[in-house]
Amino acid sequence: MRSISRPNFACHVSRHDIGVNVFSVDPEQCRQLCSVGGFIQFLPEYRCTDEFINSPNEIWHVSTARVFLRHTRGSQRILLGGSIADLAAGETIPYVAYSLFERQGQERRQVTLHGAALAKAGRGVVLLGKEGAGKTILSLELCLRHGFRLIANDLLLIGVIDNGLWLLGGTKHFFVRLAVVQQYTPELISFFRDKTAKDPWRCRTSIPAEEIGVEVEKEPTKVMRAVTVQLP
């Protein structure tokens, strides 16, 4: 493939203290793609700004007739080919940025876990368990009725600092099933479009923490306990 010049700067996307500069032949539309969409709500601590940050990690978007992806410079730079419409359909840029976040995070002794994390009085608690085990509804109960603050639900960031485990953030929404809400938190039924679904176990919705008055912990919190959840 012929040499490709770096396109114009579009935006900087980041997670906690790591990030990626995005360049594009269509910077305005590219910035829009990185700012909105259904996928980014599932990326923990995701941010998009128009400020250039000095970083070796880059995504270059070039307009080509065919869609392609190529790694260069030790996988720190990713070259994406295709139209803006192609990339928008699959929310490709945030998805690719996530892989670069994970690579940088692992180099800094950080990992992303499936679980939930809460804080109270500066002490962090991690809830682990399989899908459907009850992590989300237990998190809701502790936050709504017992004074806990939400650090993460669904995906959480955890890292090693001074040989201790610290909670660094995570996704701030509750992805809940209608069947569970009907049983444990009926006051949240109004968030479901189909309140009388034939199969309430399969009927799910996402509720942002701020919409139900759940306080969010914004500071790194040391892990003091980890619990495996399996509600009946």
Side-chain angles (χ1 to χ4, degrees):
M1 181 179 292
R2 63 181 176 83
S3 177
I4 297 176
S5 300
R6 189 174 76 177
N8 294 323
F9 175 73
C11 59
H12 180 80
V13 293
S14 62
R15 184 193 80 184
H16 193 52
D17 57 350
I18 56 181
V20 177
N21 287 315
V22 182
F23 302 84
S24 174
V25 292
D26 193 341
E28 289 189 9
Q29 288 202 48
C30 183
R31 188 180 307 118
Q32 179 72 8
L33 292 182
C34 293
S35 302
V36 298
F39 179 66
I40 63 176
Q41 68 174 312
F42 298 102
L43 297 181
E45 306 301 328
Y46 179 89
R47 298 288 185 273
C48 176
T49 70
D50 58 5
E51 180 182 2
F52 178 85
I53 305 295
N54 187 26
S55 170
N57 294 278
E58 300 175 346
I59 295 174
W60 291 13
H61 163 238
V62 294
S63 183
T64 56
R66 65 184 182 89
V67 178
F68 72 87
L69 181 150
R70 187 177 73 180
H71 292 268
T72 63
R73 203 177 62 189
S75 297
Q76 289 181 307
R77 178 188 299 152
I78 294 180
L79 186 64
L80 284 175
S83 67
I84 284 290
D86 290 330
L87 303 184
E91 299 186 63
T92 305
I93 295 177
Y95 190 88
V96 171
Y98 177 72
S99 68
L100 290 174
F101 294 162
E102 287 297 295
R103 185 177 186 274
Q104 293 177 73
Q106 290 171 17
E107 291 173 349
R108 300 186 184 199
R109 304 173 77 188
Q110 300 173 10
V111 295
T112 303
L113 299 179
H114 173 229
L118 311 169
K120 189 172 184 180
R123 299 162 65 88
V125 178
V126 177
L127 306 180
L128 302 173
K130 296 180 180 179
E131 181 181 3
K135 300 181 297 298
T136 295
I137 198 64
L138 181 55
S139 297
L140 271 169
E141 177 71 19
L142 292 172
C143 290
L144 291 174
R145 313 193 207 286
H146 299 279
F148 281 76
R149 300 164 72 94
L150 179 69
I151 298 174
N153 187 66
D154 193 31
L155 291 179
L156 64 95
L157 299 176
I158 192 167
V160 177
I161 302 176
D162 296 331
N163 294 321
L165 286 177
W166 288 74
L167 297 162
L168 306 176
T171 46
K172 304 296 192 295
H173 61 91
F174 297 96
F175 200 39
V176 291
R177 302 175 188 272
L178 178 57
V180 177
V181 167
Q182 288 172 334
Q183 182 177 357
Y184 293 102
T185 52
E187 67 270 27
L188 302 181
I189 291 177
S190 60
F191 286 91
F192 289 83
R193 292 183 179 179
D194 186 357
K195 301 175 180 59
T196 58
K198 292 183 178 179
D199 188 349
W201 181 255
R202 293 182 178 274
C203 182
R204 306 180 74 177
T205 194
S206 178
I207 306 175
E210 65 271 15
E211 291 192 15
I212 53 176
V214 169
E215 294 188 18
V216 170
E217 179 58 60
K218 298 180 180 180
E219 298 297 325
T221 305
K222 191 170 184 178
V223 177
M224 304 303 294
R225 180 166 297 182
V227 180
T228 301
V229 176
Q230 183 57 65
L231 298 182

